[in-house]
Amino acid sequence: MSESYASIAFTRHVRQAQERYGSRAAAQRLGDSAPGSGEPRDPLTAFEADFIELRDGFYLASASDTGWPYVQFRGGTPGFVKVLDEHTFGWADFRGNRQYISVGNIAGDDRVSVFFMDYPRQLRLKVFGHASVVDVRDDPSLAQALTVEGYRAKVERAVTVTVVAFDWNCQQHITPRYSAEELRAIIGPMQEELERLRAQVRGGTAAA
């Protein structure tokens, strides 16, 4: 855990809970420190950038005017989330159910939390950042940069997140799950080998 992430996540009440349940010393060893005067900005390395751009979905958490949290799942083909630089990633926002809950929440409070999951490898990247929603008419070049090639839905907005801090989670309790595409990549070669063996058996039976 980076010191930047801990300075945001370990609030006064979180620290009190750590004291109560006996994990405060361990938290401090992770790089825990009091929030500084300026906001941190953890730069994404090539490893985080590649990880983000290979994902086919993520979870986006925002907060409403009433303080209630809202979590939305966003999915797409791998590469639909694009890393624009070491501090910024974004995606094209298409016309959906037109409730605009995340869009509205971000307008009131741009702070978001994003979870990127790799279930087969049991990896989870957590990100704190500031989100920005830009109408496609106001910045066509940004919308174009985030457009998914071959996806025919209409782009209405571009969403970018300026990364403040990130952290990699423990793998222990992430259950491996596989998409249909990931399963095809695993099962496909096995099916081909099975067909080859069946052909050999048929050929041997015919020869006998």
Side-chain angles (χ1 to χ4, degrees), residues 9-27 32:
F10 293 171
T11 62
R12 176 172 61 89
H13 288 99
V14 171
R15 291 165 187 256
Q16 288 174 353
Q18 292 168 349
E19 291 279 4
R20 185 181 310 121
Y21 297 111
S23 67
R24 186 76 192 113
D32 177 19

Side-chain angles (χ1 to χ4, degrees), residues 131-200:
S132 176
V133 180
V134 181
D135 191 279
V136 66
R137 294 167 295 186
D138 296 331
D139 194 341
S141 61
L142 176 60
Q144 181 61 37
L146 296 174
T147 297
V148 178
E149 186 176 353
Y151 191 65
R152 299 179 62 183
K154 182 179 179 180
V155 179
E156 290 189 337
R157 290 160 299 278
V159 183
T160 60
V161 174
T162 301
V163 177
V164 174
F166 64 84
D167 180 40
W168 290 93
N169 252 136
C170 172
Q171 298 173 271
Q172 184 177 1
H173 297 296
I174 300 175
T175 303
R177 295 185 175 91
Y178 299 86
S179 67
E181 184 177 346
E182 288 164 341
L183 282 174
R184 279 193 293 269
I186 296 170
I187 297 174
M190 298 170 60
Q191 290 177 324
E192 291 175 3
E193 178 64 13
L194 181 59
E195 288 302 318
R196 186 184 67 81
L197 292 172
R198 283 174 174 167
Q200 285 183 345

Side-chain angles (χ1 to χ4, degrees), residues 62-65 102-112 129-131:
S62 58
S64 72
D65 296 338
S102 294
V103 171
N105 286 350
I106 291 169
D109 186 341
D110 69 357
R111 291 173 296 178
V112 296
H130 294 284

Side-chain angles (χ1 to χ4, degrees), residues 43-178:
L44 300 169
T45 70
F47 184 80
E48 282 83 33
D50 289 344
F51 184 84
I52 289 171
E53 292 195 336
L54 286 172
R55 305 281 60 81
D56 62 0
F58 62 88
Y59 299 91
L60 173 69
S62 58
S64 72
D65 296 338
T66 60
W68 283 98
Y70 178 73
V71 179
Q72 179 186 40
F73 177 77
R74 300 301 303 267
T77 57
F80 83 100
V81 182
K82 303 182 187 301
V83 176
L84 303 176
D85 58 50
E86 65 177 0
H87 293 293
T88 316
F89 62 84
W91 62 92
D93 198 29
F94 304 101
R95 179 173 294 176
N97 60 18
R98 302 178 69 82
Q99 293 183 356
Y100 302 115
I101 297 175
S102 294
V103 171
N105 286 350
I106 291 169
D109 186 341
D110 69 357
R111 291 173 296 178
V112 296
S113 180
V114 186
F115 271 34
F116 292 101
M117 304 293 302
D118 182 339
Y119 288 104
R121 294 192 295 165
Q122 297 173 278
L123 294 175
R124 174 172 52 205
L125 176 63
K126 305 183 299 185
V127 180
F128 283 134
H130 294 284
S132 176
V133 180
V134 181
D135 191 279
V136 66
R137 294 167 295 186
D138 296 331
D139 194 341
S141 61
L142 176 60
Q144 181 61 37
L146 296 174
T147 297
V148 178
E149 186 176 353
Y151 191 65
R152 299 179 62 183
K154 182 179 179 180
V155 179
E156 290 189 337
R157 290 160 299 278
V159 183
T160 60
V161 174
T162 301
V163 177
V164 174
F166 64 84
D167 180 40
W168 290 93
N169 252 136
C170 172
Q171 298 173 271
Q172 184 177 1
H173 297 296
I174 300 175
T175 303
R177 295 185 175 91
Y178 299 86

